[in-house]
Amino acid sequence: MATEPQDGRLVELEGVRKSFGPHVVLDSIDLSIRRGEAVVVAGPSGSGKSTLLRCINGLEAIDAGDIRFEGQSIPKAGKGIYRLRAEMGMVFQSFNLFPHKTVLDNVTLGPIEVKGLSRLDAQTRARALLERVGIPEKADAVPADLSGGQQQRVAIARALAMEPKLMLFDEPTSALDPEMIREVLDVMRDLARDGMTMIVVTHEMGFAREVCDRLLFIDAGAIVEDAPPEEFFRGAKSERAREFVDKIIHH
Ligand SMILES: Nc1ncnc2c1ncn2[C@@H]1O[C@H](COP(=O)(O)OP(=O)(O)OP(=O)(O)O)[C@@H](O)[C@H]1O
Ligand SMILES: [Mg+2]
């Protein structure tokens, strides 16, 4: 039986450490995220943002500490890790769609192969998801015929098709042309408003301000700020975060 904390914490990290060789990438991270929260993670390149997401969904094993999902420690390996990963959707900067499969096949593959849905059920659900991300007419296209923004929305639909409890986004708009960024952020905003729990690594500070409950600022593997966006922008506590905000806003 999962022993989820009563206060609705979905993800908890306690003293999480991760090193690559001598290089400490995550240094005693403590963090808890409640169901329904949308959290933005920002910080300089190399500060550990992607590694944090990869540890949460079990793509990287941690060296010390504990990560719990619904009150249960994330298994180190084996079958448990696959079951857990199916509960979390991950969206990357580079959409990672199957290039030779249609949009519909990209979105139905997981539900059919992993969840055992019938092709028909999977397709019905996939079409509803394509509608939700605003590209119902692209079901039969292949990824190469879509814009970057459309491909990223397919990637989001594909993740949602697994009915995840948590969505992890790693710089989902940083490979996109400016005119496509908005359409992807709008889909993410709607998801957050519908109550999806999400952790979003992004430097889109307008999105953070408008959509997110909390903004985490990571520097050198440590969370140095954890505050509601308004508070963060009004006056970050650390010099490093203030410099960062300055740079981004006056970019
Ligand atoms: N598999 C790996 N092997 C060795 N070093 C790694 C590995 N993955 C990440 N690192 C190192 O860990 C540090 C943190 O990397 P990470 O990708 O988490 O940073 P990031 O904050 O996501 O950066 P960016 O903004 O550039 O994406 C970097 O110094 C990186 O070089
Ligand atoms: Mg990264």
Side-chain angles (χ1 to χ4, degrees), residues 49-50 170-171:
K49 305 179 298 295
S50 297
D170 195 354
E171 304 207 33

Side-chain angles (χ1 to χ4, degrees), residues 19-21 23-26 43-52 54 60 93 170-171 201 203 218:
S19 304
F20 291 108
H23 183 186
V24 178
V25 175
L26 297 178
S45 179
S47 57
K49 305 179 298 295
S50 297
T51 305
L52 178 70
R54 292 169 58 80
E60 294 283 0
Q93 177 178 330
D170 195 354
E171 304 207 33
V201 174
H203 292 157
I218 300 198

Side-chain angles (χ1 to χ4, degrees), residues 15-228:
V16 168
R17 283 179 65 88
K18 172 73 185 174
S19 304
F20 291 108
H23 183 186
V24 178
V25 175
L26 297 178
D27 192 4
S28 294
I29 299 270
D30 293 315
L31 171 65
S32 83
I33 292 172
R34 291 186 307 279
R35 269 183 211 281
E37 261 191 313
V39 176
V40 157
V41 179
S45 179
S47 57
K49 305 179 298 295
S50 297
T51 305
L52 178 70
L53 295 191
R54 292 169 58 80
C55 288
I56 290 174
N57 82 348
L59 283 168
E60 294 283 0
I62 59 177
D63 300 322
D66 195 20
I67 301 181
R68 290 184 295 277
F69 184 73
E70 299 189 298
Q72 284 191 309
S73 290
I74 287 185
K76 295 270 178 283
K79 255 190 154 168
I81 196 75
Y82 294 105
R83 207 172 315 133
L84 178 99
R85 226 172 269 155
E87 311 258 36
M88 304 184 195
M90 181 126 184
V91 174
F92 304 88
Q93 177 178 330
S94 55
F95 329 118
N96 294 2
L97 298 173
F98 298 109
H100 303 299
K101 292 187 187 299
T102 64
V103 164
L104 198 66
D105 286 344
N106 266 280
V107 180
T108 55
L109 196 69
I112 293 171
E113 300 284 323
V114 179
K115 295 202 132 188
L117 253 68
S118 74
R119 180 164 301 274
L120 192 65
D121 284 350
Q123 287 182 346
T124 306
R125 274 181 23 187
R127 288 187 192 281
L129 286 167
L130 291 175
E131 184 86 46
R132 185 164 168 195
V133 301
I135 41 173
E137 74 284 5
K138 298 294 183 190
D140 300 316
V142 289
D145 294 334
L146 304 184
S147 72
Q150 291 169 337
Q151 289 187 56
Q152 192 60 300
R153 286 183 283 156
V154 174
I156 294 172
R158 180 178 59 176
L160 292 176
M162 297 299 284
E163 303 186 297
K165 292 175 178 156
L166 171 68
M167 285 286 285
L168 304 170
F169 292 89
D170 195 354
E171 304 207 33
T173 60
S174 55
L176 298 177
D177 293 337
E179 68 269 24
M180 290 162 196
I181 291 177
R182 186 76 251 166
E183 62 195 33
V184 171
L185 292 179
D186 283 349
V187 166
M188 293 167 60
R189 179 202 58 211
D190 292 348
L191 256 186
R193 293 200 174 145
D194 288 346
M196 176 63 77
T197 312
M198 43 207 258
I199 308 176
V200 185
V201 174
T202 185
H203 292 157
E204 293 291 336
M205 292 296 124
F207 173 82
R209 203 189 282 261
E210 186 194 352
V211 176
C212 288
D213 302 300
R214 278 158 76 191
L215 200 153
L216 308 183
F217 183 81
I218 300 198
D219 187 29
I223 297 175
V224 296
E225 307 273 345
D226 179 351

